[in-house]
């Protein structure tokens, strides 16, 4: 093994000589003068670059497409790599799953750009293109095929990701992401979903994001990619599951295929001049979609492929709630997720293959198709192989692929979540639903968790031209938008440096209006914005429901069910406007916000005139109308509107659809009441606006909230049932309602603290606003809440260990996370044949034999959950 250190990695020695990295990439990597020297590892598998990071992310806000930032992971997926590039000199590249609007055939999508309208040297592409210009190809159909089909020049056809059009018809406008033609194509094989013992071959391609994209695409100037497979291409958004985590398990197989393809693409295909010799030593695998990556890397290494050796893979669990775990009871489906082609061949050679084939065809638990003995045989064969993927409920679980990969190969693979408090919650029996049925599993390994950051510039609070919504809605029209007062806060001691930065980059001046070092000017700007926003809402509300809907949503969103409940009246002197937003998801706990507000308004100890000064906007949706939380929110809303003769009719409204986070710059307070919260990007966004906030005491908010910057409820939401006088004998619904009922008065108390502080202790409000806006929450500068290091350095130093000697990194072969196929031993039948002489004795031995089989299965299951360390797996 040889180690070379270079600055800016202009050249690489030993296996790679005299290779010059592209000028653009070198400039990006060399931005940070204080960044440590780049260290290259040379070993049998090639050169691994310690300052290269592959980020596997389903969502990415940097694309500027609405489908790509449905939740907080889209923010993280963009901001973390961008911060590593800008502040640490790291070559960080994003790899995303291919998706398309309305592409049921699963081929590529192309956009037709007639040369007369869109010349090749066009300086700036338009933000949208008409729907009639997009073409969904058949699988296998190439750009050249399409050009020939429509009698076009190849320069007039481009690969593209199409966002859903705004409106209907051929002229409806779509946002989009142009892609360069595939530079890498190939295929992977895995156990077939159709035929046991056979393999399915899945073709893939890697497409780079083009530099010719519109300005809203923040990924176009650095190398970033989409991974295509025909099944991924059929999806209408990056996640193959909905906002609630629901999906057929087949989606997990499709996601796993992407991860298999990436193990080849990243570690075997990109270490060339064309790709800037990208051969990263580090991988960040984001969210459930990427949890299987550690398993596939282990399979790759264990098969003798040294290109996988020496890697550090960190698997980030962004949501460990039960709905987001990816579950199945079908072992054959799980084999397609975690197995490889060699496993399919092994299954075919098993002596009980015929029984397994029958079990796959009819269902392993189908007592009408399989005898009890056949079921026992099938389970005895499959259980040892899949032992590492069962959770505490006995279900095969996608998150267990990440947990077990970290347990089996801890030197190279790690997992964790996005805050330290939630790390504790998901391991504690006192908070059993934080990671339901995975509590013991997470507690059994060493997790590595890093508190998320948030990049202030991405909120565009100083940009008067930024939209409030998805575009083509009332709030985004120039005449309405001009009522917004932009503001950019800079600490006094940083003002001169900031002004110099603006002089060096004039484009930043446009998006940093009304620069101030005075927090009172920020508060004044937000007061104006609160009156502007609430005034626009009241005006639309008086015109009727249609006007309200159009104020917030475009035509397409309204057709999809986005709408507004009620409306608030314009903010007056002494009023406070409170804002809570997030996904339409039980995790976000909106019923605690609405229920807490209702309790606040019912509190007879608070004067009515005081309560009338508090106005609340919530935003999430559109909801599943059958969801319990949706029904509870509607019930709370009706009661609020009718309470005390309707005097609070215009103190509460709900935006059931996409709700702009920029509203944090238009309100006095924010409120977030999650049942469980891993990090909480939304409270961090409130901080950036200098807006005090309240939250439930769970996860990340506990890490970064204190009496100087916000308000917490008294206790965690999802405690053990015994806390509420219940037990697990009670239904989930009863336990959840008891938890919500406990929180409502605590949330009501936060509303009381809001209005009391704003009215009676305004100096404290100003101090809290100042504390929030001056807190360092950016990825490269959030040491205060990140164990003394920035999030960037926690990843690069504590997880990827890029600054440590090479000898500290394990370079050997990884071990498979899957086990070995088992064998059914018919010892009970042998006893019966040789010992049992009478019918009663046969019956006794039959019972004993059943106990032996069941006990053995139970012991095997429990042992598989006790530990995943190397000793145990060697023994297995």
């Amino acid at each position: 093994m040889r180690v070379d250190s270079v600055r800016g990695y202009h050249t690489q020695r030993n296996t790679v000589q005299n290779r010059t990295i592209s000028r653009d990439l070198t400039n990006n990597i060399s931005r940070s003068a204080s960044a440590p020297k780049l260290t290259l590892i040379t070993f049998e598998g090639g050169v691994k670059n310690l300052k290269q990071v592959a980020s596997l992310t389903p969502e990415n806000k940097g694309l500027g497409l609405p489908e790509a930032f449905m939740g907080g992971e889209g923010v993280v997926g963009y901001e973390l790599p961008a911060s590593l590039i800008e502040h640490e000199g790291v070559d960080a590249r994003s790899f995303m799953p291919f998706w398309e609007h309305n592409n049921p055939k699963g081929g590529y999508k192309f956009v037709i750009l007639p040369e007369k309208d869109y010349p090749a040297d066009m300086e700036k592409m338009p933000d949208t293109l008409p729907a009639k210009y997009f073409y969904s190809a058949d699988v296998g159909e190439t750009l050249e095929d399409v050009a020939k089909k429509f009698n076009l020049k190849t320069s007039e056809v481009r690969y593209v990701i199409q966002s859903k059009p705004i409106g209907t018809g051929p002229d409806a406008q779509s946002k989009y992401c142009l892609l360069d033609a595939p530079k890498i194509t190939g295929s992977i094989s895995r156990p077939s979903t159709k035929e046991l013992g056979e393999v399915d071959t899945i073709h893939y391609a890697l497409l780079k994001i083009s530099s010719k994209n519109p300005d809203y695409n923040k990924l176009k100037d650095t190398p970033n990619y989409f991974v295509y497979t025909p099944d991924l291409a059929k999806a209408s958004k990056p996640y193959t599951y909905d906002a609630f985590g629901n999906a057929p398990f087949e989606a997990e197989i499709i996601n796993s295929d992407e991860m298999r393809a990436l193990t080849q693409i990243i570690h075997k295909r990109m270490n060339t001049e064309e790709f800037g010799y990208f051969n990263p030593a580090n991988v960040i695998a984001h969210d459930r979609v990427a949890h299987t990556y550690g398993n596939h890397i282990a399979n790759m290494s264990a098969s003798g492929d040294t290109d996988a050796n020496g890697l550090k893979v960190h698997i980030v669990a962004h949501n460990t709630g039960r709905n987001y775990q990816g579950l199945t009871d079908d072992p054959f489906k799980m084999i397609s997720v975690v197995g490889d082609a060699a496993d399919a061949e092994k299954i075919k050679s098993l002596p009980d293959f015929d029984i397994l084939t029958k079990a796959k065809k009819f269902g392993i638990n189908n007592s009408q198709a399989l005898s009890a003995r056949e079921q026992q045989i099938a389970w005895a064969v499959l259980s040892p192989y899949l032992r590492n993927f069962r959770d505490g409920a006995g279900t095969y679980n996608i998150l267990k692929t990440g947990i077990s990969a970290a347990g089996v190969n801890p030197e190279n693979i790690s997992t964790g979540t996005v805050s330290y408090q939630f790390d504790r919650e998901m391991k504690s029996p006192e908070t059993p639903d934080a990671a339901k049925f995975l509590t013991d599993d997470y507690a059994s390994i060493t997790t590595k968790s890093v508190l998320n950051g948030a990049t202030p510039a991405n909120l565009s609070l100083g940009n008067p031209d930024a939209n409030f919504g998805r575009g083509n809605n009332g709030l985004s029209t120039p005449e309405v938008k001009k009522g917004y007062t932009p503001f950019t806060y800079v600490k006094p001691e940083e003002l001169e440096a900031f002004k110099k930065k603006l002089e060096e980059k004039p484009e930043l001046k446009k998006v940093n209006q009304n620069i101030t070092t005075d927090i009172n000017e920020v508060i004044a700007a937000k007061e104006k914005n609160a009156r502007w926003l609430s005034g626009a809402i009241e005006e639309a509300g008086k015109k009727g429901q249609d006007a309200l809907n159009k104020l917030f949503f475009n035509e397409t969103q309204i057709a999809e069910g986005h709408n507004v409940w009620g409306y608030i009246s314009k903010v007056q002197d002494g009023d406070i406007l409170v804002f809570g937003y997030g996904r339409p998801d039980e995790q976000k706990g909106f019923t605690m916000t609405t229920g807490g507000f209702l309790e606040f308004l019912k509190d007879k100890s608070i004067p009515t005139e005081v309560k009338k000064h508090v106005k609340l906007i919530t935003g999430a949706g559109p909801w599943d109308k059958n969801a319990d939380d949706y029904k509870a929110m509607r019930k709370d809303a009706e009661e609020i509107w009718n309470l005390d003769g309707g005097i609070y009719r215009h103190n509460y409204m709900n935006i059931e659809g996409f709700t702009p986070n920029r509203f944090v710059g238009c309100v006095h307070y924010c409120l977030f009441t999650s049942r469980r919260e891993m990090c909480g990007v939304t409270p961090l966004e409130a901080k950036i606006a200098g807006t005090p906030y309240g939250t439930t005491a769970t996860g990340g908010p506990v890490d970064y909230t204190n009496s100087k910057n916000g308000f917490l409820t008294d206790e965690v939401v999802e405690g053990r049932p015994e806390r509420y006088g219940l037990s697990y004998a009670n239904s989930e619904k009863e336990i959840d309602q008891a938890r919500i009922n406990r929180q409502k008065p605590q949330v009501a108390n936060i509303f009381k603290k809001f209005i009391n502080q704003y009215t009676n202790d305004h100096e404290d409000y100003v101090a809290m606003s100042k504390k929030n806006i001056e807190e360092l929450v950016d990825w490269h500068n959030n040491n205060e809440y990140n164990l003394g290091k920035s999030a960037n350095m926690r990843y690069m130093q504590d997880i990827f260990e890029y600054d440590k000697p090479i000898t500290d990194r394990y370079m050997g072969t990884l071990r498979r996370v899957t086990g070995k196929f088992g064998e059914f031993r018919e010892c009970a039948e042998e006893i019966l044949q040789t010992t049992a002489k009478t019918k009663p004795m046969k019956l006794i031995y039959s019972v004993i034999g059943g106990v032996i089989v069941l006990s053995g299965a139970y012991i095997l299951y429990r042992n598989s959950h006790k530990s995943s360390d190397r000793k145990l797996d060697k023994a297995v």
Side-chain angles (χ1 to χ4, degrees), residues 234 344 508 668 772 802 824 849:
K234 296 174 185 178
L508 294 180
H668 303 91
N772 275 302
Y802 82 115
F824 182 75

Side-chain angles (χ1 to χ4, degrees), residues 390-443:
R390 278 187 182 269
D391 60 26
T395 312
Y396 298 116
N397 192 320
I398 291 297
L399 266 58
K400 274 300 298 282
T401 64
I403 295 168
S404 296
V408 171
N409 293 296
E411 296 95 337
N412 298 87
I413 301 171
S414 57
T415 189
T417 186
V418 285
S419 82
Y420 307 108
Q421 173 62 24
F422 197 78
D423 187 290
R424 291 186 286 270
E425 288 177 27
M426 70 185 191
K427 296 176 178 180
S428 171
E430 295 302 313
T431 47
D433 287 351
K436 194 168 186 177
F437 298 124
L438 294 175
T439 306
D440 291 343
D441 295 297
Y442 276 116

